Structure formats: C-alpha cells, structure tokens
Amino acid sequence: MEATDACLLRKSDFTALLEKTPKLALKLLEINAQRMADTENQTRFLMMERVETRLSAYLLSLSLLSGGAADLEIPMKMKDLSAYLGTTPETLSRKLHLLEETNLISRKGKKIHIADRDGLKQMAEG
C-alpha cells in the first residue's frame, strides 16, 4: 500500500470547463472519433474469415496511413497485433511467413516492405 491522491470532477464542472475551453472539447471529440474509427477497422478485420486476409488488409491500411509507403513499421508488439487481428502470435508468425514466401512482403522484425501491393490487395480481398 502507498499514499494516493484522488481527484473528483463533477459533471457540471466538466461541462463548464468544456464551455469555457472549446479547443479542449474539440480535442476530446477528435480522440473519440479516432477511437470509433479504430474500433470500426478492428471489427472489419475480425469479420474476414482468413487470418492472411486480415493481415493483408491491415498492412495495406497501415501503408495508407503512411501516405502509401511501401516500407512500414508495425506500431505495436506482435502479440498485440495478433490480438488485434483476432489470432494467436504463432498463427500471425506463420501468416507473415506465408506472405514472405509468396513474395508479397519482405520483413525484418517489425519492419515490413510491401513488395507486391497488387498481390497483397488480392490477398486482402480474399
């Protein structure tokens, strides 16, 4: 056990703060919208039957977020990515290897190079 400080913020105080600082309100809306978009993307991935389809779609979306770049770095740990894609780390590793064997990507750890964007798109479409 250790000493802890707690803070209480009443709804009325929070509402007054948002009315007084519109930039804060806009930032909170932006954060909420991003979380909703992330949840929608994850739901879309989980609806895809095959893991390699989900993985390909994820890599393509990551590329789009990077301005269409072919060279990417996965922004999370592999165990977190496997959970995000609804699979196990072992299956994720096998599917990354499959994408490498079919010359769609090359990789070194978390660094991925998209070698065949059209092929990856076909894989993402199932």
Side-chain angles (χ1 to χ4, degrees):
M1 303 283 290
E2 62 183 68
T4 304
D5 291 324
C7 177
L8 175 67
L9 183 59
R10 289 185 295 254
K11 181 181 176 186
S12 58
D13 294 337
F14 185 65
T15 302
L17 176 65
L18 292 178
E19 288 172 351
K20 193 168 30 173
T21 31
K23 283 186 177 184
L24 176 61
L26 289 173
K27 187 63 177 174
L28 290 173
L29 281 172
E30 180 184 316
I31 290 168
N32 197 31
Q34 184 60 52
R35 285 184 181 171
M36 288 175 62
D38 291 345
T39 299
E40 184 178 322
N41 280 337
Q42 186 175 15
T43 301
R44 191 187 73 199
F45 289 135
L46 294 175
M47 289 174 56
M48 297 172 184
E49 287 185 34
R50 297 174 27 213
V51 174
E52 56 269 28
T53 302
R54 286 180 251 162
L55 176 58
S56 299
Y58 172 78
L59 292 174
L60 289 168
S61 70
L62 191 60
S63 173
L64 284 175
L65 289 173
S66 302
D71 293 308
L72 314 167
E73 185 163 350
I74 296 176
M76 60 184 94
K77 294 179 181 177
M78 288 301 177
K79 71 177 184 121
D80 295 332
L81 177 58
S82 63
Y84 181 77
L85 296 175
T87 191
T88 63
E90 296 79 13
T91 299
L92 175 61
S93 179
R94 283 195 306 273
K95 297 308 178 179
L96 281 166
H97 189 70
L98 171 71
L99 295 181
E100 283 183 287
E101 283 180 336
T102 55
N103 297 315
L104 298 176
I105 66 166
S106 59
R107 71 179 173 126
K108 263 194 175 175
K110 291 170 59 171
K111 293 184 188 273
I112 306 276
H113 172 75
I114 297 176
D116 182 356
R117 185 176 301 278
D118 291 335
L120 201 60
K121 283 180 186 176
Q122 286 180 344
M123 181 74 72
E125 292 168 359

